[in-house]
Amino acid sequence: MAGELTPRVGILALQGDVREHEAVLAALGARTSRVRRAEELREIDGLVLPGGESSTIDKLARAFDVREPLVARIREGLPVYGTCAGMILLADRIVDGITGQQTFGGLDATVRRNAFGRQSESFETELAVSALGDPPVRAAFIRAPAIEETGPAVTVLARVADGRAVAAEQGAILATAFHPEQTGETRFHERFLAVVRAAG
Ligand code: GLN
């Protein structure tokens, strides 16, 4: 698999918006597979952590015994793209998690869950993302997190109008607080697939 032109991208399918990611990745020429168990991690060149509910995904990952092997593969450099809850799961540190909530980690950042409060729980906005060029990104935020602090290896890719960081990358890890897969925006997935191909 690794090194082939058609990368195999797993989508962690414990809970959340798995199908939307499958559709975008397939349209971009990747093969996709759903990951629920440790052995399914062996067959993939990259992994998407979808939006959903991060505390639920955390609990299910532990219940399915996939958490530890997943953490190990992220440490080994597996390319991973996390959206929304997926970004929370990639954060080394979180604020406002539920009691006992754990993350997989890998992104040297502090991420606040549900950062946009009640009045703007869901909204769409345009974000200038210089790494992606024009046009700006149409971004859907749904009970979205925000990045509060980043370590030196992290590059912030996008900020909302008030300055809070909402997209970042670090090595083979990409994270967005919003859902490109829900607004027809494919450039983040393309960027991720380029990392997957380069890693293979
Ligand atoms: N608020 C959710 C959480 O804490 C994330 C929302 C989403 O993924 N759309 O996991």
Side-chain angles (χ1 to χ4, degrees):
M1 278 151 288
E4 280 177 24
L5 282 175
T6 309
R8 165 88 63 124
V9 177
I11 299 155
L12 189 65
L14 299 170
Q15 189 263 340
D17 68 340
V18 173
R19 232 178 311 170
E20 291 86 343
H21 285 287
E22 284 174 337
V24 176
L25 291 163
L28 294 173
R31 291 176 297 166
T32 64
S33 60
R34 297 186 177 197
V35 171
R36 292 190 191 85
R37 290 189 302 266
E39 52 272 28
E40 292 160 339
L41 280 170
R42 285 193 213 114
E43 299 149 24
I44 57 171
D45 307 308
L47 181 68
V48 168
L49 305 180
E53 173 48 54
S54 57
S55 60
T56 303
I57 297 172
D58 163 41
K59 278 184 199 153
L60 291 172
R62 286 187 265 165
F64 280 64
D65 290 327
V66 75
R67 179 179 191 277
E68 291 310 322
L70 179 47
V71 168
R73 283 222 60 190
I74 296 172
R75 286 214 189 99
E76 288 159 18
L78 178 72
V80 186
Y81 175 26
T83 57
C84 203
M87 169 191 262
I88 297 166
L89 287 159
L90 283 172
D92 283 346
R93 300 166 294 282
I94 57 171
V95 179
D96 271 357
I98 68 165
T99 304
Q101 182 170 353
Q102 296 180 17
T103 68
F104 306 139
L107 184 69
D108 182 10
T110 305
V111 169
R112 177 180 292 274
R113 286 176 71 228
N114 304 324
F116 292 93
R118 209 170 264 271
Q119 264 164 335
S120 50
E121 276 196 342
S122 287
F123 61 98
E124 278 191 32
T125 189
E126 303 230 309
L127 297 174
V129 182
S130 59
L132 300 181
D134 283 329
V137 167
R138 183 96 205 140
F141 289 80
I142 305 163
R143 304 208 318 120
I147 300 166
E148 299 214 319
E149 167 270 332
T150 55
V154 176
T155 302
V156 171
L157 298 176
R159 296 179 185 277
V160 286
D162 67 12
R164 280 183 287 177
V166 290
E169 65 187 353
Q170 177 184 354
I173 292 179
L174 176 66
T176 59
F178 47 89
H179 296 265
E181 76 285 359
Q182 295 192 6
T183 52
E185 171 59 64
T186 61
R187 288 172 290 173
F188 283 101
H189 290 79
E190 285 170 48
R191 190 175 181 87
F192 168 63
L193 285 178
V195 173
V196 172
R197 289 196 176 94

